[in-house]
Amino acid sequence: MKFSGVTLLAITLAMTLLVSGCASTDKTPINSEPHFVNNVVITEPLRVDYKSELAIAKLTQIINHAQLEKDKLAELLYDRGVMYDSLGLRSLAQLDFRRALEHKPDFADAYNFIGIHLTLMGQYTQAFEAFDSALEIDPEHKYVKLNRGIALHYYGRNELAMEDFEQFYFEKPQDPYRAIWLYFSELDKDAEGARLRLIYNSTQLDNQLWSFEIVQMLLGNLDEQNFITNMGKNLRSQRELAERLCEGYFYLAKKELSLGNDEKAKNYFRLALSTGVHEFVEYKYARLELNKLYEKARQQYEASLVN
């Protein structure tokens, strides 16, 4: 699931680069049937988008040499940070978001991204402060509730996470991803209640969306192998395949985790990471999930030595 945080300035710049003939791998057509290995679909990691590299170079030139008002400079720093983030250059992105706040202290989008990165680093208290700052500035922000809910989920505060996910869900109940994250927040507290609510919420969803199949898989209406096979069907580009695999394997892993199948979950998280879709929520948190599983295994091993 991707959420866009790029401002109009960056969109204009990207369009300018596109018109001037820069190559892009975003819509590379599918050249053959998706490749299966041991009954799972695999793909090559996404290549770095040439347009993004040129856009970063152009933004850097403008930031370093143009005389800009503080608000404009903050927006350009933020835009470059978003592009760095999409390429997996998280430290550079974080620097730009913080610099953007120096020039524009009421920049809710920058606080939102800082909160995401702090969550990924396990710095939850600071992450919550960043998300709260974003909501103080813009109470109607589209994605802060989602991202704060995810941070609360990984921090183990699922009751508070449920509140954020519920508000996020009701803003657009036809969106499967919103129902999915609400389901995960409810799962530990009441697994059967979470399943029943997801069954009800699924009746409100747009069943034409690919992500509707994720809901069907979580409910057991679509078995694992058919779900994996379907990820490779009706595709328009290599990017779409990589994005589907990133999402699909992440949510398969979350399901296996809920069933106590840690080793199987690890492999699905690894497959999600193999796609290279850095800007997706699922890609970002697959690494965090793996680190939690590695830490759990380490603790279990140390406990076994004591016993």
Side-chain angles (χ1 to χ4, degrees):
M1 174 175 51
K2 180 180 180 181
F3 51 88
S4 177
V6 183
T7 70
L8 182 59
L9 281 171
I11 293 171
T12 303
L13 176 58
M15 290 302 294
T16 301
L17 289 168
L18 181 60
V19 170
S20 63
C22 295
S24 171
T25 61
D26 277 10
K27 295 185 178 180
T28 305
I30 293 287
N31 297 319
S32 62
E33 288 297 312
H35 191 53
F36 280 81
V37 174
N38 295 329
N39 295 321
V40 297
V41 183
I42 62 171
T43 186
E44 295 178 4
L46 286 182
R47 290 173 286 178
V48 173
D49 190 339
Y50 185 38
K51 281 209 313 293
S52 295
E53 291 186 298
L54 289 180
I56 287 172
K58 184 64 176 176
L59 283 169
T60 300
Q61 184 179 30
I62 295 170
I63 288 166
N64 291 341
H65 299 292
Q67 297 296 316
L68 299 170
E69 296 178 358
K70 284 191 172 184
D71 280 5
K72 292 291 186 184
L73 179 56
E75 288 184 359
L76 289 176
L77 285 164
Y78 171 79
D79 291 336
R80 189 175 67 177
V82 172
M83 291 181 185
Y84 279 143
D85 181 82
S86 74
L87 300 177
L89 302 173
R90 203 168 69 199
S91 295
L92 291 175
Q94 186 79 191
L95 287 171
D96 272 355
F97 296 141
R98 293 189 180 279
R99 284 186 63 195
L101 285 174
E102 291 174 6
H103 297 287
K104 187 179 178 182
D106 62 343
F107 205 159
D109 286 338
Y111 275 117
N112 180 50
F113 258 104
I114 288 171
I116 294 169
H117 288 174
L118 289 169
T119 301
L120 293 170
M121 292 186 287
Q123 298 178 13
Y124 293 103
T125 300
Q126 298 94 318
F128 298 140
E129 290 174 356
F131 292 133
D132 290 346
S133 295
L135 287 173
E136 285 176 16
I137 296 164
D138 181 6
E140 304 302 319
H141 194 285
K142 288 184 177 180
Y143 294 107
V144 176
K145 293 286 178 66
L146 166 68
N147 294 316
R148 189 175 66 178
I150 291 174
L152 288 163
H153 172 68
Y154 285 117
Y155 191 52
R157 302 294 298 275
N158 273 328
E159 289 192 10
L160 291 174
M162 282 168 54
E163 293 178 16
D164 275 347
F165 288 137
E166 195 162 50
Q167 291 180 45
F168 186 64
Y169 167 76
F170 281 119
E171 289 171 4
K172 194 176 180 182
Q174 67 272 26
D175 178 3
Y177 299 106
R178 298 172 189 245
I180 289 167
W181 279 102
L182 178 58
Y183 166 74
F184 284 132
S185 71
E186 296 174 330
L187 203 52
D188 287 340
K189 182 180 179 181
D190 180 5
E192 182 59 17
R195 189 183 72 85
L196 291 173
R197 184 168 186 183
L198 185 59
I199 290 172
Y200 173 76
N201 288 344
S202 70
T203 66
Q204 315 300 309
L205 303 178
D206 182 348
N207 61 11
Q208 298 303 307
L209 298 174
W210 125 256
S211 48
F212 182 75
E213 294 205 2
I214 300 173
V215 175
Q216 296 303 299
M217 177 270 294
L218 292 173
L219 289 173
N221 298 331
L222 187 61
D223 67 47
E224 180 179 330
Q225 191 54 58
N226 281 325
F227 175 73
I228 290 172
T229 301
N230 289 352
M231 287 196 289
K233 294 181 177 178
N234 302 317
L235 297 162
R236 293 164 294 183
S237 67
Q238 288 294 133
R239 169 167 282 275
E240 186 177 16
L241 173 60
E243 290 175 351
R244 276 195 191 181
L245 297 182
C246 181
E247 294 173 339
Y249 287 133
F250 177 85
Y251 294 114
L252 272 170
K254 290 287 282 183
K255 181 177 183 179
E256 293 300 330
L257 267 187
S258 72
L259 298 173
N261 301 327
D262 289 4
E263 292 305 313
K264 197 169 182 180
K266 284 179 189 176
N267 288 332
Y268 280 137
F269 284 131
R270 290 172 183 136
L271 284 168
L273 287 171
S274 74
T275 62
V277 191
H278 294 275
E279 66 267 40
F280 270 34
V281 166
E282 293 81 5
Y283 183 94
K284 294 178 188 299
Y285 291 106
R287 175 69 65 189
L288 188 151
E289 293 273 12
L290 273 175
N291 288 339
K292 286 167 69 71
L293 286 169
Y294 294 150
E295 177 61 20
K296 178 182 176 182
R298 184 189 67 79
Q299 291 177 359
Q300 290 175 339
Y301 174 72
E302 290 180 353
S304 71
L305 294 178
V306 174
N307 297 329

